[in-house]
Amino acid sequence: MAQTESIQPKDARSIDIPCTQEAFRNLKNAKRFAIDIGISLTKIAYYSTVSHRRVHYDTEREEGKPRIPDRNSFVYEISEGARLHFIKFETKYIEHCLDFVRANLIQSKEKMAGKTIKATGIGTFKHADLLQDKLGLSVDKEDEIDCLIKGCNFLLKKIPNEAFTYHRHGDPEYVFQSADPNIFPYMLVNIGSGVSIMKVESESCYERIGGTATGGGTFWGLGSLLTSAKGFDELLNLAEKGDHRNVDVLIGELAGSDYGKFGLSENLIATAFGKAMNCNSDSNDKTKSQFAEADIAKSLLFTISNDIGQIACLYAMMHNLKKVYFGGHFLRNHPLSMHTVSFAINYWSRGQVQSLFLRHEGYLGAIGAFLKGAEECDTDKYSWQENYDGSSGLQGTVVTPLLSGLPVSQLEIDRWESAVGFCPLLADPASYIADTVNLTQDNEARHYWLDSFETSIDKYVQKAVVSQPDSANAVERGQRFRDKFVARVQYLRTHPFAYGSLTVRSLLDTMEHCLRELDFPDPYLLQKKEENEAALEQLARRFAELDCKSGSVLHEELVTSILAGNMFDWGAAEAVRLMEKGSFGFEEALSKIESRPWLVDDLDLWLHHIEIRQPHKCAAIFVDNCGVDLVLGIIPFARELLKRGTRVLLCSNSEPALNDVTHSELLGVLARASTICPIMEKALKDKLLIPVPTAQSGPCLDFSRVSIQLIQAMIHYQVDLLVIEGMGRALHTNLLAKFKCDCLKLAVIKNRWLAQRLGGDIFSVLCKFEPAPTSRCAC
């Protein structure tokens, strides 16, 4: 049960803020542990509870007396969330890390006695006594393959952009896979000390179909014999610098050979280590010393990787599997290793088998072991999202205070209370991509948006601090938010692939994650309240103006009203400059809209369509901003659909983002609107107008992760019209999305660079109507 509290002076009951970007954070609230102990790397997993504040508005007011918005017109609700933490470090530090965990737990060793820790990995047996001694936990050993597959399934289903293909020296090098509603079947190749190959057909149906003893341990062992490298990572780094051609014999070096007719390139390796065959036969040591350690390491890496790739390819083809995922400590997202394995798979399968890698491949066993111990928690009833504030990212590390700055990698996953799934109206869910532009592939766009976010961050900091005037540490937290977000932007300049496909959506999500972690749950809450109140005061007059019109004139007015409302967006710098003048209202917004023909102008098609067809059964409208956008734009549009006999689902964010309306705010606005208009009042009472949360928490819209509640409503009420409004939802994320039903996408482009790139100018209009495939019509 959430606890509700009113704002008190100096924010007396503000939640404690965990240190951001610190490994083992929130350890004092840890509830359950799991561990995966490998020869070289150990992964600790734990579950913790996290306190977050949410804002809910007091929508009551005395009849006829508008309430002046102030800090007392809302309450904070402190609620407990859940977070999964996965920490990866070198096994040689395991004893020190366990000491750190024990020292930072609330529970004493005595209180932990009798509890268990799920453990997997080859080092479990060796370190079982150490775990019990340090933490007082009895060790419950889990099968390694079971844990690997369970962890892999979880990542592929729950974490967007988890899987990718790798193209060394490509542009881009990393190409991430979009979400797939059906991940099965696939093959998992786990490259540890040896190699295990598993065929996975479902959550419960899988088998080990093969493997080889020539794996990461072979590379490490032979590398230690042949070079002076002190460890696995040093050996990998050595291989990166080498030239295998000084050690290997290539096809082109075989005298008198013509293998072109067999499709063999002259640059392929004919004999691994072929040039070293006679290095001991000559008494002169010069022959042996001509082979540099880096060249030997690279030849060895190619030998092991090529063999693993060929064996994996043969198993995939034998079992008719098209997708092969690679995991295990051997790869560690190492570019040269991934390149070699990918080349071997592609070469031997002639492009018929796809080699895929995982951003978090090192955590598979730990995730699986944790889930084994959490099966009673009904994890499938929730959705999960990577926390961009706390995760170190692909190939990234964070610093922990233990052992004077031991570098570790970490993954943090937040639990959301609503389960999510694919929108049932997507034309092809498997090919749906939530983002219009991939910034990892578009260099010009990437530089522009990273610069834009970095230079505009101070405005968001200012808004966050002003939203909590009674907080003694708001300024300090605001600076921490700024520093954290700017550091993340700087990191993404050199590692744009760190968290999957870099997009405008992911940048906005990162900003929202950082704000929530630093206890700024809704920086625009007062702004939204003021704008809603002001717009509601104009609603009755707006209804009266529209009721004097009919036919295509009315429907054109309704569309242009949505576009005018969309101008009121505090997330767009050009719009902010207009609104800060103080005299910018609904009429001024109408005058700013460009003259037709618009940049994308399907208005005539929409007007013709709505005139000739029967009224839609049900429309799902995805709303955007509070104030004029919602009240004077969307609500009149929805009211007209209701008058035509169309049921309306008003779909809004579950959590705050910029000045977007949330589900709880929408409920309050609709309650007020129903006191103004009998049509609205009756529609709400008869469930013809239904507000639905989307499970979204950002300014964009991902149709692969909408709430089960919304999915069920769409199916039950047979939605045959989608209306998607705003730059974030209609332009940045769903401009190219295809649906089974009629779809109207509306936005004013409030970014000059983006508008010009699309062939328009600031405040250009996007009015895109796509009839359902079975009801195409032309003006």
Side-chain angles (χ1 to χ4, degrees), residues 627-644:
V628 174
D629 195 354
L630 169 66
V631 177
L632 302 183
I634 291 295
I635 286 180
F637 186 91
R639 176 175 176 262
E640 183 58 30
L641 290 177
L642 291 168
K643 290 168 66 176
R644 286 170 54 85

Side-chain angles (χ1 to χ4, degrees), residues 283-356:
S283 60
N284 191 337
D285 287 339
K286 289 184 179 180
T287 303
K288 182 179 290 188
S289 63
Q290 73 181 6
F291 300 108
E293 286 194 348
D295 300 340
I296 293 171
K298 191 160 193 174
S299 176
L300 179 60
L301 179 66
F302 277 7
T303 300
I304 303 298
S305 300
N306 277 317
D307 280 359
I308 292 172
Q310 184 176 8
I311 291 170
C313 177
L314 293 174
Y315 274 107
M317 295 173 71
M318 186 167 61
H319 291 269
N320 196 30
L321 297 169
K322 302 299 183 185
K323 294 183 295 186
V324 179
Y325 294 99
F326 288 90
H329 83 277
F330 175 70
L331 291 174
R332 300 193 194 182
N333 292 316
H334 183 253
L336 187 57
S337 304
M338 292 189 296
H339 165 71
T340 311
V341 169
S342 294
F343 179 85
I345 288 281
N346 185 66
Y347 178 81
W348 290 108
S349 74
R350 300 184 185 275
Q352 298 303 302
V353 177
Q354 188 176 35
S355 54
L356 293 150

Side-chain angles (χ1 to χ4, degrees), residues 85-156:
H85 307 255
F86 302 94
I87 313 294
K88 181 170 63 176
F89 54 89
E90 290 186 68
T91 299
K92 63 184 179 183
Y93 296 117
I94 186 171
E95 188 168 350
H96 303 284
C97 288
L98 292 178
D99 285 337
F100 182 84
V101 170
R102 181 179 63 182
N104 285 273
L105 284 174
I106 291 178
Q107 300 96 333
S108 66
K109 180 180 175 182
E110 291 72 25
K111 288 185 178 180
M112 300 291 280
K115 297 182 179 180
T116 62
I117 180 172
K118 292 288 185 180
T120 189
I122 198 169
T124 299
F125 295 94
K126 177 180 178 181
H127 297 288
D129 292 340
L130 181 66
L131 287 169
Q132 189 158 357
D133 178 61
K134 294 291 185 183
L135 301 182
L137 296 166
S138 61
V139 178
D140 189 359
K141 302 179 182 68
E142 292 291 343
D143 180 78
E144 187 173 7
I145 290 179
D146 287 347
C147 292
L148 287 170
I149 292 171
K150 200 171 188 70
C152 189
N153 290 342
F154 180 87
L155 288 175
L156 291 176

Side-chain angles (χ1 to χ4, degrees), residues 21-23 397-401 404-408:
Q21 202 67 356
E22 177 188 336
T397 58
V398 297
V399 173
T400 177
S404 302
L406 169 68
V408 302

Side-chain angles (χ1 to χ4, degrees), residues 196 514 582 595 722:
S196 288
C514 293
S595 302
L722 290 178

Side-chain angles (χ1 to χ4, degrees), residues 637-648 679-680 683-684 688-689:
F637 186 91
R639 176 175 176 262
E640 183 58 30
L641 290 177
L642 291 168
K643 290 168 66 176
R644 286 170 54 85
T646 300
R647 189 187 305 268
V648 175
I679 296 173
M680 301 286 292
L684 284 169
L688 297 174
L689 177 59

